[in-house]
Amino acid sequence: MTDKKKSQCKADTSAKSENCPALQRSDAEIEAENNYMAKVAMSPEFSAASVVQAYNREGKFDLFALMAQLEAQHANLASDNLANAENMLMSQAVALQVIFTKLAVRAMGATGHDQIQCMLGLALRAQSGSRATLQTLGELKHPRQATFVRQANIAQGPQQVNNGVALAHAHEENPDSANKLSGAHHELLQDNRAAGSTIESHPCLATLEKVNGTKVRRG
């Protein structure tokens, strides 16, 4: 490509492909670029970087530079490095404490009752947010340990505990055993004990005579 054609490509970006072969792109390249732009737009780094750029009016930051910093922080988080999260929570707690102090001081200089109540309400909300942020930071640095307590059923003598789910499964697997637990069948179990010896009558004891109650008069 000659220098004349190169300058023509730079001056007129809408030139046709026959005049500027370098601008000619295949369908695969166009599709790949569209997919990349869609991936960037849907990424959480792009959303956060857009908000940071919109709220930071003092200076303009490059959007892709902000995204690169967020990706680095996400990489640290994936490797269980919570330093950035801890620093962020601590900074938020300090900022909320400053807001609380400022609003509390302004409430003292207010004249009307409604203004004082509004200022103090906002101040206390900022103080509550600061406290909650510090509590979250403490739980992040020192996670709570889960405690598993096993239930102990203690009773004097035989004890029966019927759980509905366990009983249903037991009935499906062994109906006889489930019936014994729930008491569904009221049948007498077979007595397998050895038969005892018959007690003989005493030879010195005679049979009592019949007593006619009608002959005995009551006084």
Side-chain angles (χ1 to χ4, degrees):
M1 182 182 296
T2 61
D3 296 339
K4 184 178 181 179
K5 288 186 177 182
K6 289 182 179 180
S7 61
Q8 183 179 359
C9 291
K10 294 179 180 179
D12 186 12
T13 56
S14 62
K16 296 183 180 180
S17 59
E18 56 271 13
N19 295 329
C20 297
L23 297 178
Q24 187 177 3
R25 300 165 59 194
S26 62
D27 296 338
E29 292 176 347
I30 296 175
E31 183 179 2
E33 182 179 357
N34 292 335
N35 292 335
Y36 173 76
M37 295 304 297
K39 182 179 179 181
V40 170
M42 295 300 294
S43 64
E45 293 85 1
F46 177 80
S47 300
S50 300
V51 174
V52 172
Q53 190 181 50
Y55 274 87
N56 202 343
R57 298 180 179 179
E58 289 76 10
K60 294 183 178 179
F61 296 97
D62 182 69
L63 184 64
F64 290 96
L66 293 173
M67 292 179 60
Q69 291 296 325
L70 288 171
E71 289 177 354
Q73 293 184 9
H74 293 172
N76 293 333
L77 183 62
S79 60
D80 296 334
N81 185 357
L82 301 178
N84 291 328
E86 294 173 357
N87 295 335
M88 180 185 67
L89 290 174
M90 189 61 194
S91 300
Q92 290 179 357
V94 173
L96 289 170
Q97 176 65 18
V98 173
I99 295 174
F100 160 74
T101 305
K102 185 69 175 180
L103 290 174
V105 173
R106 290 185 62 182
M108 294 299 298
T111 56
H113 180 269
D114 294 338
Q115 293 181 355
I116 295 175
Q117 186 178 6
C118 180
M119 289 295 179
L120 287 179
L122 294 175
L124 293 177
R125 289 180 61 181
Q127 186 270 342
S128 178
S130 178
R131 177 194 55 79
T133 305
L134 291 175
Q135 182 179 0
T136 304
L137 178 61
E139 294 178 355
L140 184 64
K141 293 183 68 66
H142 304 285
R144 298 180 181 179
Q145 299 294 333
T147 304
F148 298 94
V149 180
R150 299 184 61 182
Q151 182 179 2
N153 297 322
I154 302 175
Q156 299 295 332
Q159 182 182 13
Q160 176 178 336
V161 178
N162 295 333
N163 296 323
V165 178
L167 185 59
H169 289 292
H171 180 70
E172 293 176 359
E173 297 178 357
N174 191 353
D176 295 335
S177 61
N179 293 334
K180 291 179 181 179
L181 288 176
S182 61
H185 293 310
H186 301 281
E187 297 178 357
L188 295 177
L189 299 178
Q190 184 179 0
D191 192 357
N192 296 324
R193 294 176 298 178
S197 58
T198 305
I199 300 176
E200 299 180 355
S201 60
H202 200 281
C204 298
L205 296 178
T207 305
L208 295 176
E209 296 181 355
K210 294 183 179 181
V211 178
N212 190 353
T214 57
K215 296 181 179 181
V216 180
R217 296 181 181 180
R218 297 182 179 178

